[in-house]
mmCIF file of all heavy atoms in Angstrom:
data_model
loop_
_atom_site.group_PDB
_atom_site.id
_atom_site.type_symbol
_atom_site.label_atom_id
_atom_site.label_comp_id
_atom_site.label_asym_id
_atom_site.label_seq_id
_atom_site.Cartn_x
_atom_site.Cartn_y
_atom_site.Cartn_z
ATOM 1 N N GLY A 67 96.771 60.260 65.268
ATOM 2 C CA GLY A 67 97.915 59.560 64.707
ATOM 3 C C GLY A 67 99.009 59.212 65.688
ATOM 4 O O GLY A 67 99.638 58.163 65.578
ATOM 5 N N ASP A 68 99.258 60.067 66.656
ATOM 6 C CA ASP A 68 100.362 59.827 67.588
ATOM 7 C C ASP A 68 99.886 59.430 68.980
ATOM 8 O O ASP A 68 100.635 59.517 69.946
ATOM 9 C CB ASP A 68 101.247 61.071 67.681
ATOM 10 C CG ASP A 68 100.497 62.290 68.224
ATOM 11 O OD1 ASP A 68 99.264 62.231 68.358
ATOM 12 O OD2 ASP A 68 101.158 63.306 68.522
ATOM 13 N N GLU A 69 98.666 58.959 69.070
ATOM 14 C CA GLU A 69 98.097 58.640 70.377
ATOM 15 C C GLU A 69 98.585 57.304 70.917
ATOM 16 O O GLU A 69 98.864 56.376 70.171
ATOM 17 C CB GLU A 69 96.573 58.618 70.314
ATOM 18 C CG GLU A 69 95.968 59.980 70.142
ATOM 19 C CD GLU A 69 96.402 60.962 71.197
ATOM 20 O OE1 GLU A 69 96.295 60.669 72.403
ATOM 21 O OE2 GLU A 69 96.848 62.052 70.820
ATOM 22 N N TYR A 70 98.654 57.234 72.222
ATOM 23 C CA TYR A 70 98.949 55.984 72.907
ATOM 24 C C TYR A 70 98.137 55.967 74.194
ATOM 25 O O TYR A 70 97.840 56.993 74.786
ATOM 26 C CB TYR A 70 100.452 55.833 73.186
ATOM 27 C CG TYR A 70 101.042 56.894 74.086
ATOM 28 C CD1 TYR A 70 101.215 56.649 75.450
ATOM 29 C CD2 TYR A 70 101.424 58.135 73.582
ATOM 30 C CE1 TYR A 70 101.766 57.614 76.282
ATOM 31 C CE2 TYR A 70 101.977 59.100 74.414
ATOM 32 C CZ TYR A 70 102.142 58.843 75.753
ATOM 33 O OH TYR A 70 102.674 59.796 76.583
ATOM 34 N N ILE A 71 97.744 54.768 74.595
ATOM 35 C CA ILE A 71 96.917 54.578 75.781
ATOM 36 C C ILE A 71 97.753 53.816 76.809
ATOM 37 O O ILE A 71 98.328 52.776 76.504
ATOM 38 C CB ILE A 71 95.629 53.792 75.462
ATOM 39 C CG1 ILE A 71 94.901 54.360 74.235
ATOM 40 C CG2 ILE A 71 94.719 53.726 76.681
ATOM 41 C CD1 ILE A 71 94.370 55.756 74.374
ATOM 42 N N GLY A 72 97.803 54.341 78.018
ATOM 43 C CA GLY A 72 98.664 53.796 79.060
ATOM 44 C C GLY A 72 99.927 54.636 79.122
ATOM 45 O O GLY A 72 100.281 55.325 78.163
ATOM 46 N N ILE A 73 100.612 54.579 80.227
ATOM 47 C CA ILE A 73 101.805 55.405 80.401
ATOM 48 C C ILE A 73 102.815 55.163 79.288
ATOM 49 O O ILE A 73 103.412 56.085 78.759
ATOM 50 C CB ILE A 73 102.439 55.165 81.788
ATOM 51 C CG1 ILE A 73 101.500 55.675 82.882
ATOM 52 C CG2 ILE A 73 103.803 55.853 81.893
ATOM 53 C CD1 ILE A 73 101.951 55.340 84.292
ATOM 54 N N ASN A 74 102.990 53.908 78.906
ATOM 55 C CA ASN A 74 103.965 53.554 77.873
ATOM 56 C C ASN A 74 103.309 52.990 76.615
ATOM 57 O O ASN A 74 103.969 52.333 75.825
ATOM 58 C CB ASN A 74 104.977 52.539 78.426
ATOM 59 C CG ASN A 74 105.754 53.119 79.582
ATOM 60 O OD1 ASN A 74 106.349 54.179 79.464
ATOM 61 N ND2 ASN A 74 105.721 52.435 80.715
ATOM 62 N N GLY A 75 102.016 53.201 76.461
ATOM 63 C CA GLY A 75 101.308 52.694 75.287
ATOM 64 C C GLY A 75 100.885 51.243 75.380
ATOM 65 O O GLY A 75 100.432 50.656 74.401
ATOM 66 N N GLU A 76 100.973 50.673 76.559
ATOM 67 C CA GLU A 76 100.700 49.245 76.726
ATOM 68 C C GLU A 76 99.244 48.850 76.477
ATOM 69 O O GLU A 76 98.942 47.666 76.291
ATOM 70 C CB GLU A 76 101.161 48.754 78.105
ATOM 71 C CG GLU A 76 100.455 49.408 79.279
ATOM 72 C CD GLU A 76 101.112 50.692 79.783
ATOM 73 O OE1 GLU A 76 101.825 51.354 79.013
ATOM 74 O OE2 GLU A 76 100.879 51.030 80.951
ATOM 75 N N PHE A 77 98.321 49.808 76.459
ATOM 76 C CA PHE A 77 96.905 49.490 76.238
ATOM 77 C C PHE A 77 96.379 50.005 74.898
ATOM 78 O O PHE A 77 95.186 49.922 74.618
ATOM 79 C CB PHE A 77 96.048 50.062 77.374
ATOM 80 C CG PHE A 77 96.450 49.558 78.732
ATOM 81 C CD1 PHE A 77 97.016 50.406 79.660
ATOM 82 C CD2 PHE A 77 96.278 48.221 79.070
ATOM 83 C CE1 PHE A 77 97.399 49.952 80.912
ATOM 84 C CE2 PHE A 77 96.660 47.752 80.315
ATOM 85 C CZ PHE A 77 97.227 48.617 81.235
ATOM 86 N N THR A 78 97.255 50.528 74.061
ATOM 87 C CA THR A 78 96.836 51.151 72.800
ATOM 88 C C THR A 78 96.095 50.181 71.901
ATOM 89 O O THR A 78 94.983 50.479 71.437
ATOM 90 C CB THR A 78 98.048 51.746 72.062
ATOM 91 O OG1 THR A 78 98.707 52.659 72.940
ATOM 92 C CG2 THR A 78 97.610 52.478 70.807
ATOM 93 N N LYS A 79 96.682 49.027 71.603
ATOM 94 C CA LYS A 79 96.063 48.063 70.692
ATOM 95 C C LYS A 79 94.679 47.648 71.174
ATOM 96 O O LYS A 79 93.715 47.617 70.416
ATOM 97 C CB LYS A 79 96.938 46.816 70.579
ATOM 98 C CG LYS A 79 97.848 46.779 69.418
ATOM 99 C CD LYS A 79 98.604 45.459 69.459
ATOM 100 C CE LYS A 79 98.827 44.949 68.082
ATOM 101 N NZ LYS A 79 99.707 43.775 68.099
ATOM 102 N N GLU A 80 94.603 47.331 72.449
ATOM 103 C CA GLU A 80 93.336 46.877 73.022
ATOM 104 C C GLU A 80 92.257 47.953 72.894
ATOM 105 O O GLU A 80 91.117 47.668 72.504
ATOM 106 C CB GLU A 80 93.557 46.524 74.493
ATOM 107 C CG GLU A 80 92.315 46.126 75.245
ATOM 108 C CD GLU A 80 92.601 45.896 76.721
ATOM 109 O OE1 GLU A 80 93.781 45.864 77.132
ATOM 110 O OE2 GLU A 80 91.616 45.753 77.460
ATOM 111 N N HIS A 81 92.595 49.187 73.189
ATOM 112 C CA HIS A 81 91.606 50.266 73.123
ATOM 113 C C HIS A 81 91.225 50.610 71.690
ATOM 114 O O HIS A 81 90.061 50.927 71.418
ATOM 115 C CB HIS A 81 92.107 51.498 73.881
ATOM 116 C CG HIS A 81 91.939 51.366 75.350
ATOM 117 N ND1 HIS A 81 90.838 51.825 76.007
ATOM 118 C CD2 HIS A 81 92.729 50.787 76.296
ATOM 119 C CE1 HIS A 81 90.949 51.550 77.300
ATOM 120 N NE2 HIS A 81 92.099 50.930 77.502
ATOM 121 N N ARG A 82 92.171 50.548 70.775
ATOM 122 C CA ARG A 82 91.840 50.803 69.362
ATOM 123 C C ARG A 82 90.892 49.729 68.837
ATOM 124 O O ARG A 82 89.939 50.027 68.114
ATOM 125 C CB ARG A 82 93.102 50.873 68.522
ATOM 126 C CG ARG A 82 93.832 52.179 68.698
ATOM 127 C CD ARG A 82 94.955 52.337 67.723
ATOM 128 N NE ARG A 82 95.555 53.647 67.906
ATOM 129 C CZ ARG A 82 96.806 53.942 67.623
ATOM 130 N NH1 ARG A 82 97.602 53.011 67.117
ATOM 131 N NH2 ARG A 82 97.267 55.143 67.825
#
Side-chain angles (χ1 to χ4, degrees):
D68 62 350
E69 289 305 308
Y70 62 98
I71 311 296
I73 293 173
N74 298 306
E76 62 271 24
F77 302 112
T78 304
K79 263 181 144 172
E80 176 184 350
H81 281 267
R82 284 189 177 153

